Amino acid sequence: MPAISQKGMAMPQSPIRKLVPFAEDAKKRGIKVFHLNIGQPDIKTPQIALDAVKNNTIDVLAYSRSEGSEEYRVKISKYYAKNDIHVNADDILVTTGGSEALLFTFGSIMDAGDEVIIPEPFYANYNGFSTASGVNVVPVVSKIENNFALPPIEDFEKLITSRTKAILICNPGNPTGYLYSKEEIKKLSSIVKKHDLFLVADEVYREFAYDGNEHYSVMLEEGLEEHAIMIDSVSKRYSMCGARIGCIVSKNKDVIATTLKFAQARLSPPTYAQMASEAALETPQRYFDDVIEEYVARRNTLINKLQEIDGVKVAKPKGAFYCIAELPVANSDDFAQWLLEKFDHNGATIMVAPAGGFYSSEGLGLNQVRIAYVLKEEDLITSVSILKEALKQYNAS
Ligand SMILES: Cc1ncc(COP(=O)(O)O)c(C=O)c1O
């Protein structure tokens, strides 16, 4: 039989999706599964975006430009200007989701064997994008005790080698919910300038900053123009995960010109979805105010309820819609599977993402899970009571 590539075999499974078959089996057995495992918001997509696709009159669904339609990129630049980020349409390359933006960025700035330093725990698919690009992830550990704040800058510095090409951060963080302060971004800026590295900031949750904290983008840093690359997406901002539209933003002309070559090889981002995303930019501020209010309420309920369970430790998120919870179990992979295979509480169970897959250091996160608070408050309350009962039974068995 012809052999699968080493790279293919090394590709990690998504920790968020690998338990799906067990969840499907549980559902077939009539068990209600509360999905806390995946960042699929239940928030309604803005009507204006849906209508843009429904009401259009095109009769040829053509390719768009590889870098994304001109009109859309001009409107994105205006949206950023409202957030004090001053970029031109030429500094923006539209991609098929933030996922493709990350892949093109990795391909454009790193060769096989190069290294990217990433604070862990991090968005699990960074492992997949790195493997696909032949790049080595060098993790720097952030800790639940500090709410997953930026690790000391000396910890980064110690890890820099001649193969280091970039530091990658996610702000606000998935899976931590941590929002980096201006001071933390400034520290990262100085280190990337000193060592001539790229600073890639995944800002797909930029709109989700809570408690009066302001999101501080890498694009706001003066003197970082050649180093900063921002990754963005409409998926979470407008609850449009299925549109598959994101973008790369950078003032570095070589970066954009190189990502364009990757973009040309895949021809174009989806045309209908660009129309929807362009229309979504007209979404009134009220929509975001309501969404933020909803997520803050959910977060508060979830965190309060989790903290009531003996042996559970949780870092309070300042942004995005995830938290990492430390549980009184030795192996959260086993626990998460057990929840779906062997347990129910009044006919219901929960699906969580074991946190091991969000770390690159072997053995870290084994007693942690990631919880996405993308469900209504009453469902979150039920989910936490299921978790409480499950921990009791699991630890007694
Ligand atoms: C941190 C982060 N970056 C990137 C993505 C990719 O998003 P998409 O490809 O849907 O834009 C996600 C999706 O969950 C994410 O959480």
Side-chain angles (χ1 to χ4, degrees):
M1 197 164 78
I4 293 300
S5 67
Q6 294 295 327
K7 188 189 273 186
M9 287 194 286
M11 274 299 281
Q13 267 194 317
S14 162
I16 304 159
R17 292 172 182 260
K18 70 180 179 186
L19 296 173
V20 167
F22 298 102
E24 291 310 311
D25 280 353
K27 286 178 202 167
K28 278 188 203 140
R29 297 196 308 275
I31 291 169
K32 159 111 185 120
V33 179
F34 288 98
H35 282 271
L36 304 172
N37 60 308
I38 192 158
Q40 168 60 63
D42 62 348
I43 305 284
K44 194 175 167 339
T45 305
Q47 194 58 39
I48 200 169
L50 301 172
D51 287 347
V53 176
K54 270 191 215 146
N55 300 339
N56 80 80
T57 52
I58 52 168
D59 48 18
V60 178
L61 191 52
Y63 291 125
S64 74
R65 284 171 61 174
S66 297
E67 61 269 54
S69 91
E70 177 84 25
E71 301 77 29
Y72 179 39
R73 285 179 299 118
V74 168
K75 284 201 189 154
I76 303 178
S77 69
K78 291 189 179 143
Y79 154 81
Y80 287 134
K82 279 198 252 159
N83 292 276
D84 288 330
I85 296 172
H86 299 287
V87 289
N88 300 319
D90 292 350
D91 304 322
I92 300 169
L93 182 118
V94 179
T95 54
T96 307
S99 309
E100 190 180 70
L102 284 156
L103 256 181
F104 287 177
T105 299
F106 277 33
S108 299
I109 63 173
M110 290 183 276
D111 289 308
D114 282 345
E115 294 168 0
V116 55
I117 301 177
I118 317 180
E120 67 179 353
F122 53 73
Y123 176 50
N125 283 330
Y126 294 163
N127 277 326
F129 302 139
S130 305
T131 305
S133 312
V135 165
N136 298 325
V137 171
V138 178
V140 51
V141 186
S142 69
K143 301 215 170 85
I144 195 164
E145 290 75 22
N146 308 328
N147 259 3
F148 299 107
L150 190 75
I153 214 71
E154 306 79 62
D155 290 6
F156 285 85
E157 205 138 27
K158 272 190 244 157
L159 298 172
I160 294 173
T161 70
S162 58
R163 296 308 303 258
T164 310
K165 292 300 294 290
I167 294 175
L168 168 61
I169 56 165
C170 182
N171 187 30
N174 172 7
T176 62
Y178 188 77
L179 183 73
Y180 290 116
S181 66
K182 184 172 174 177
E183 290 65 39
E184 287 173 314
I185 298 295
K186 287 201 171 296
K187 281 187 193 162
L188 287 167
S189 300
S190 63
I191 194 178
V192 296
K193 279 192 271 188
K194 180 171 164 198
H195 294 276
D196 207 16
L197 308 174
F198 288 103
L199 179 57
V200 183
D202 181 341
E203 299 187 3
V204 305
Y205 297 97
R206 63 198 336 279
E207 228 79 31
F208 304 92
Y210 310 139
D211 310 325
N213 291 298
E214 283 212 8
H215 178 261
Y216 187 76
S217 172
V218 290
M219 298 305 291
L220 293 171
E221 267 300 280
E222 263 175 51
L224 204 64
E225 291 75 10
E226 301 302 322
H227 303 264
I229 303 174
M230 177 171 84
I231 305 297
D232 208 348
S233 165
V234 303
S235 291
K236 318 290 163 157
R237 179 169 310 135
Y238 307 111
S239 200
M240 281 173 60
C241 295
R244 310 308 308 129
I245 291 289
C247 63
I248 301 170
V249 186
S250 181
K251 292 265 197 192
N252 182 319
K253 300 284 174 214
D254 291 342
V255 166
I256 295 295
T258 311
T259 55
L260 177 59
K261 291 191 277 180
F262 286 87
Q264 286 170 345
R266 65 78 165 106
L267 306 181
S268 84
T271 299
Y272 269 145
Q274 283 182 86
M275 289 177 184
S277 304
E278 189 179 327
L281 286 166
E282 308 291 330
T283 306
Q285 183 55 37
R286 197 171 6 97
Y287 172 90
F288 296 107
D289 296 343
D290 291 349
V291 170
I292 301 282
E293 199 183 317
E294 175 68 24
Y295 278 123
V296 168
R298 290 176 181 189
R299 177 202 60 177
N300 293 347
T301 302
L302 175 72
I303 300 296
N304 291 342
K305 291 280 163 201
L306 284 172
Q307 281 171 339
E308 285 170 11
I309 307 179
D310 261 356
V312 172
K313 199 192 290 176
V314 64
K316 189 171 182 185
K318 295 195 230 170
F321 34 72
Y322 307 95
C323 71
I324 289 279
E326 203 166 281
L327 305 180
V329 299
N331 185 324
S332 60
D333 262 296
D334 183 72
F335 177 61
Q337 189 169 327
W338 176 88
L339 279 167
L340 297 167
E341 255 192 324
K342 308 234 165 80
F343 172 81
D344 76 88
H345 182 50
N346 301 331
T349 192
I350 55 172
M351 184 169 179
V352 292
F358 296 87
Y359 287 82
S360 137
S361 301
E362 202 61 38
L364 288 189
L366 291 185
N367 59 350
Q368 298 176 347
V369 293
R370 186 194 72 169
I371 296 178
Y373 42 101
V374 289
L375 304 181
K376 293 179 188 51
E377 266 182 280
E378 67 253 35
D379 289 343
L380 288 172
I381 293 171
T382 311
S383 300
V384 179
S385 58
I386 291 172
L387 174 67
K388 189 174 175 181
E389 184 56 34
L391 285 169
K392 221 189 285 170
Q393 288 191 26
Y394 181 78
N395 284 329
S397 62

